[in-house]
Amino acid sequence: MQSTIGKAFCLTATVLSLGLCTGAFADPVAHFDFITHAPDSDAWWNTVKNGIRQADQDFNVQTDYRNPPNGDIADMVQLVNQAAARNYDGVVLTIADYDLLKGAVTKLKAKNIPFITSNTGTEQQSADLGAIMHVGQPEYLAGKEAGLRAKAAGIKTFLCVNHYATNPLSFERCRGFGEAIGADTKASSLDVGTDPTGIEAKVSAYLRAHPDTQAVLTLGPTSADPTIRAVTKMGLAGKIWFATFDIDPDVAKAIKDGTIKFCTDQQPYLQGYIPIAMLAIMHKNHNTDVVAARTELEKDPKFMKRLESYGLKPVYEARNISSGPGFITPQNIEKVSALAGSYR
């Protein structure tokens, strides 16, 4: 994927013009903005970008992917303000911090710019902000579903390795898991930052100081990969109960060799593709009828073929689309691992 790096007003942000960078077309029918809270270092978002890029090609639109390079939520708010000033045809944004974003989205509404929320945030928060719809994974539910699997295995104590504690919703994953097994979530959560060496050291130190820890839960590849190294070096691989969110090649390998029990999958490709596809369809039809746009998308043979090829399963609700949770286990890892980092 080609990209352009630019400065947005006074705020430096990573900007990927995902539509025109492909060179597939020269005259897009609409120009959208996809704003996330993710730092440049988080490679998990590459799969989201692949979904955005494919939707751009399928619907002949251009989407700018913009994010604060260091993951600063306050900077993300400024990107939303800029989106309103630039009069995009539509915006997609993550609800990294509801309280900080609710003021910024009023500027989108004042300009009558339709927007969809994706990835983080709850469906209620999305509705309260005035978004057309939400595409994402209910975080508390995902954590709870993972925790119920742990409870069935007899787990009562755990460590939640949180690499993005700046996002309030990250704690919902930990809380859902902790409440499912009856553990003290606050005492079990560790803010580790994003530096791989630092994460490995912090996890190792915690497990040495708390040898009665039965399970480890990581919230994504950024924390999972260093934690895999930590438990392996400590001789705990396959012995400590280990689950994670989101997949990458290292997580896939760890599932295959028994280090990780399962991966909770929120299907990031869908979080990129569906919002842009919905905005494109509604722009073409000159309305914001979610049901009609979703019906049109479901009849699109290209979209349905990709769902089948990539093993993706969105859950359609009255207003929103849930992209997860699903579970990647030893039983389905062979198919999924071939797609990890690209479409899964």
Side-chain angles (χ1 to χ4, degrees), residues 4 48 166 200 214 309 318 333:
T4 57
V48 177
T166 53
E200 181 180 340
Q214 295 176 300
S309 298
I333 186 60

Side-chain angles (χ1 to χ4, degrees), residues 7-13 75 78 82 86:
K7 290 188 176 180
F9 291 24
C10 296
L11 172 66
T12 302
D75 287 347
Q78 293 305 311
Q82 292 165 11
R86 295 178 178 185

